[in-house]
């Protein structure tokens, strides 16, 4: 598969996809896509400049009347074909995703790609179900109903940790609702976003409905968010950058959807299945090498289970196999870059002054030394207000703290600025219900951590942002709700007119 998929040849015409074709950027700055497992450059291209953003927005604006005017059935049919094309090209998508991100191929093959195909199939069906309130005579004299209408050109920015899935989460609800879109992927991971747009064209989705501009955030990204012809911005990324996106978007009165950082708690009550919690904690903290906003990062374990949990997690982490992402036996790939690896290592090194690194806490040597690898790491003994407990690390690091009472466990879970995801582990129905009510997060799992499904919404509380990806709830972001009211009386002079002129 890798031998037949040559990235430089596939994208020889450039890393901008505008109006249904690849083209080169015009910023005058080149950029390299680097395989984080080896440090090798796999693709060099010209970054997008503001002129490329303008061209992409113009293409999306030109395509909007035709696409928004298509029937829901027509949009649905095109998106079903889109899902079929993605499924046919699944191997190439998985290879490219692992190449640019360092993901183990088994993760790309079993999680990223099938999840994206499923999202596409879901929104193909959802395109025919843009619901509003039924028509009714609410005041007796008029018939009212609600229309949902496309809003225009969407300008979205996706992150580097799940380039394919995040492209899909931005694009699919937008176009299912009849909008057109310009997506800016992270410049370090553009390959599968470009392939996604190409697959849409192959499926017969009209030119200009999906456009990709690959450029730097300060240039292409800010220009896209502030563009006068862009009516909405959807951004996934760090809370710090999200604040900047919000500043620009609100200054031009755009609709805004933000999915930002996370620091997910993993709350283990003393009646939990210990083996399940240990396995869940290792899987939930290490997925995508911990580069996941919903990854388990703070384990709070009720004191009777605390010591056994620490021992079990440390022992299981030590069995996780680091290696070549394309080796079927590899469990954990590298971080996205050496800079990110060093950032993660910095958190752990600083924590040694006030906490214990139970296992991990180092980069491997030997054959993996050239890659951005970091060993699975468990930290214990940190205080709740310490940096390693409060800050988003975005790496394969889990911090574990004990608690005594249920009240304390839930209070600690809520004690960060974030609120994207959380899990609670218990056999007690009342404890589980309390956790789902009182933990302030957009998703709360019970006795599991990480699974997502197309039919359910994804989005956060507090500093983790607002608005929803996936599910029919995402149409709240991508449609205008219009009230239409018809007079049923055929009376020229209405009774209410007396409040303006004349008597009853």
């Amino acid at each position: 598969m890798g031998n037949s998929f040559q990235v430089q040849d596939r994208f020889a015409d450039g890393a901008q996809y505008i109006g249904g074709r690849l083209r080169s950027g015009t910023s005058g700055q080149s950029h390299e896509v680097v395989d984080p497992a080896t440090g090798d450059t796999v693709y060099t291209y010209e970054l997008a400049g503001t002129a490329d953003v303008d061209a992409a927005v113009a293409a999306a604006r030109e395509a909007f009347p035709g696409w928004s005017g298509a029937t829901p059935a027509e949009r649905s049919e095109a998106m079903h074909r889109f899902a079929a094309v993605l499924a046919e090209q699944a191997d190439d998508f998985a290879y490219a995703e692992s190449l640019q991100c360092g993901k183990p191929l088994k993760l790309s093959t079993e999680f990223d790609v099938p999840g994206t195909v499923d999202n596409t199939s879901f929104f193909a069906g959802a395109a025919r179900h843009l619901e509003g309130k039924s028509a009714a005579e609410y005041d007796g004299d008029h018939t009212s109903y609600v229309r949902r209408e496309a809003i225009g050109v969407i300008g979205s920015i996706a992150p580097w940790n799940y380039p394919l899935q995040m492209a899909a989460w931005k694009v699919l609800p937008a176009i299912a609702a009849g909008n057109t879109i310009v997506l800016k992927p992270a410049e370090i991971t553009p390959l599968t976003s470009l392939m996604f747009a190409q697959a849409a064209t192959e499926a017969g989705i009209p030119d200009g409905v999906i456009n990709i501009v690959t450029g730097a955030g300060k240039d292409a990204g800010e220009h896209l968010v502030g563009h006068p012809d862009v009516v909405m911005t959807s951004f996934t990324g760090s809370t710090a950058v999200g604040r900047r996106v919000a500043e620009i978007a609100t200054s031009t009165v755009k609709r805004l959807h933000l999915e930002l950082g996370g620091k997910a708690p993993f709350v283990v009550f003393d009646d939990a299945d210990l083996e399940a919690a240990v396995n869940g904690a290792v899987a939930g903290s290490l997925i995508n090498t911990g580069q996941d906003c919903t990854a388990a990062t703070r384990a709070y374990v009720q004191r009777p289970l605390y010591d056994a949990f620490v021992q079990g997690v440390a022992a299981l982490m030590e069995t996780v196999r680091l290696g070549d992402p394309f080796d079927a036996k590899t469990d954990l790939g590298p971080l996205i870059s050496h800079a990110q690896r060093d950032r993660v290592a910095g958190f752990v090194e600083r924590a040694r002054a006030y906490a214990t690194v139970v296992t991990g806490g180092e980069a491997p040597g030997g054959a993996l030394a050239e890659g951005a690898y970091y060993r699975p790491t468990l930290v214990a003994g940190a205080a709740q207000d310490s940096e390693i407990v409060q800050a988003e690390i975005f790496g394969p690091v889990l911090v574990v703290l004990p608690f005594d009472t249920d009240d304390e466990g839930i209070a600690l879970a809520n004690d960060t600025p974030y609120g994207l995801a959380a899990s609670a582990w218990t056999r007690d129905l009342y404890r589980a219900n309390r956790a789902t009510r009182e933990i302030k997060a957009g998703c709360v799992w019970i006795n599991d951590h990480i699974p997502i499904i197309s039919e359910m919404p994804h989005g956060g509380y507090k500093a983790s942002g607002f608005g929803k990806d996936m599910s029919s709830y995402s149409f709240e972001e991508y449609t205008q709700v219009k009230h239409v009211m018809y007079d049923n009386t055929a009376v020229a002079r209405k009774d209410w007119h007396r409040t303006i002129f004349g008597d009853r």
Side-chain angles (χ1 to χ4, degrees):
M1 180 169 54
N3 292 333
S4 65
F5 187 92
Q6 300 298 323
V7 175
Q8 201 69 46
D9 292 340
R10 173 72 178 262
F11 303 112
D13 292 332
Q16 319 305 324
Y17 196 77
I18 299 172
R21 67 179 183 88
L22 288 170
R23 53 190 270 183
S24 185
T26 62
S27 70
Q29 297 177 300
S30 63
H31 190 81
E32 295 179 345
V33 176
V34 175
D35 177 355
T38 63
D40 294 339
T41 297
V42 298
Y43 180 53
T44 302
Y45 67 95
E46 295 297 312
L47 289 167
T50 56
D52 303 302
V53 173
D54 291 341
V57 172
R61 187 177 180 185
E62 183 178 355
F64 178 73
W67 184 248
S68 62
T71 66
E74 289 168 336
R75 288 198 296 270
S76 176
E77 183 180 353
M79 292 183 70
H80 277 300
R81 293 195 302 268
F82 188 12
V85 172
L86 293 171
E88 290 167 3
Q89 299 177 8
D91 285 350
D92 280 350
F93 274 99
Y95 173 78
E97 194 77 334
S98 288
L99 184 66
Q100 67 181 353
C101 297
K103 296 173 186 280
L105 189 61
K106 66 179 181 181
L107 179 64
S108 297
T109 300
E110 298 177 26
F111 186 80
D112 297 68
V113 175
T116 300
V117 174
D118 186 71
N119 284 172
T120 308
S121 295
F122 171 82
F123 279 108
R128 302 182 74 161
H129 297 281
L130 291 172
E131 297 178 348
K133 282 190 176 181
S134 337
E137 289 69 48
Y138 293 98
D139 71 351
D141 290 338
H142 302 82
T143 297
S144 288
Y145 68 89
V146 168
R147 290 176 55 89
R148 281 192 181 272
E149 298 179 348
I151 59 177
V153 177
I154 313 300
S156 293
I157 299 176
W160 48 257
N161 57 331
Y162 290 102
L164 176 59
Q165 285 198 309
M166 295 297 100
W169 287 14
K170 300 302 181 194
V171 168
L172 295 172
I175 68 170
N179 302 288
T180 56
I181 189 167
V182 178
L183 173 74
K184 192 198 88 66
E187 58 269 34
I188 59 176
T189 54
L191 303 181
T192 47
S193 298
L194 294 166
M195 293 167 64
F196 190 71
Q198 289 178 311
T201 299
E202 291 179 42
I205 291 177
D207 294 349
V209 172
I210 302 172
N211 306 275
I212 308 294
V213 289
T214 309
K218 284 288 186 181
D219 301 320
E222 292 197 2
H223 189 63
L224 177 62
V225 173
H227 199 289
D229 291 333
V230 169
V231 297
M232 174 187 162
T233 291
S234 178
F235 170 80
T236 296
S238 72
T239 298
V241 177
R243 291 191 187 99
R244 176 60 180 157
V245 169
E247 288 173 5
I248 299 170
T250 54
S251 70
T252 52
V253 198
K254 286 178 172 52
R255 187 177 294 196
L256 184 61
H257 166 220
L258 299 174
E259 197 264 88
L260 306 176
K263 190 71 177 176
F266 186 101
V267 183
V268 182
F269 293 100
D270 58 14
D271 68 327
D273 181 326
L274 179 61
E275 182 182 7
V278 166
N279 281 274
V282 174
S285 63
L286 299 185
I287 186 169
N288 203 34
T289 318
Q291 298 167 129
D292 186 313
C293 294
T294 64
T297 59
R298 299 178 289 137
Y300 296 105
V301 183
Q302 207 151 24
R303 207 169 293 274
L305 295 185
Y306 178 79
D307 289 340
F309 179 88
V310 171
Q311 292 167 10
V313 169
L316 188 55
M317 279 186 168
E318 288 166 6
T319 71
V320 172
R321 300 165 297 186
L322 280 68
D324 178 357
F326 295 100
D327 185 333
K329 294 182 179 180
T330 292
D331 296 320
L332 198 72
L335 289 139
I336 190 66
S337 66
H338 285 83
Q340 178 65 12
R341 191 269 313 274
D342 293 345
R343 178 180 179 275
V344 170
F347 278 103
V348 177
E349 291 308 306
R350 290 190 295 274
R352 292 184 191 276
Y354 55 80
T356 300
V357 177
V358 180
T359 189
E362 63 181 2
L368 302 181
E370 296 301 315
Y373 290 89
Y374 196 75
R375 294 195 185 281
T377 300
L378 180 66
V379 176
Q384 174 65 14
D385 61 357
S386 62
E387 177 193 52
I388 205 161
V389 174
Q390 293 291 325
E392 187 174 33
I393 299 171
F394 228 56
V397 179
L398 177 65
V399 183
V400 58
L401 298 87
F403 70 92
D404 292 302
T405 67
D406 290 16
D407 289 349
E408 182 188 7
I410 289 175
L412 289 169
N414 286 329
D415 185 28
T416 70
Y418 300 106
L420 186 58
S423 65
W425 298 73
T426 177
R427 292 182 173 96
D428 186 297
L429 175 63
Y430 296 98
R431 271 178 161 168
N433 282 340
R434 182 185 180 189
T436 61
R437 288 194 311 270
E438 296 186 14
I439 294 177
K440 305 303 181 186
C443 174
V444 180
W445 293 283
I446 299 298
N447 296 326
D448 209 343
H449 196 109
I450 287 298
I452 53 175
I453 49 176
S454 297
E455 292 83 357
M456 288 290 111
H458 177 84
Y461 285 28
K462 303 189 292 185
S464 291
F466 49 81
K468 299 300 179 184
D469 288 310
M470 299 197 297
S471 83
S472 59
Y473 290 95
S474 64
F475 288 133
E476 301 295 333
E477 317 302 324
Y478 294 100
T479 55
Q480 295 275 23
V481 174
K482 178 185 288 184
H483 170 217
V484 178
M485 179 179 270
Y486 285 89
D487 170 58
N488 293 327
T489 66
V491 173
R493 184 158 178 167
K494 310 291 193 294
D495 185 55
W496 72 268
H497 291 178
R498 67 187 171 80
T499 63
I500 310 302
F501 55 86
D503 300 319
R504 184 185 295 274

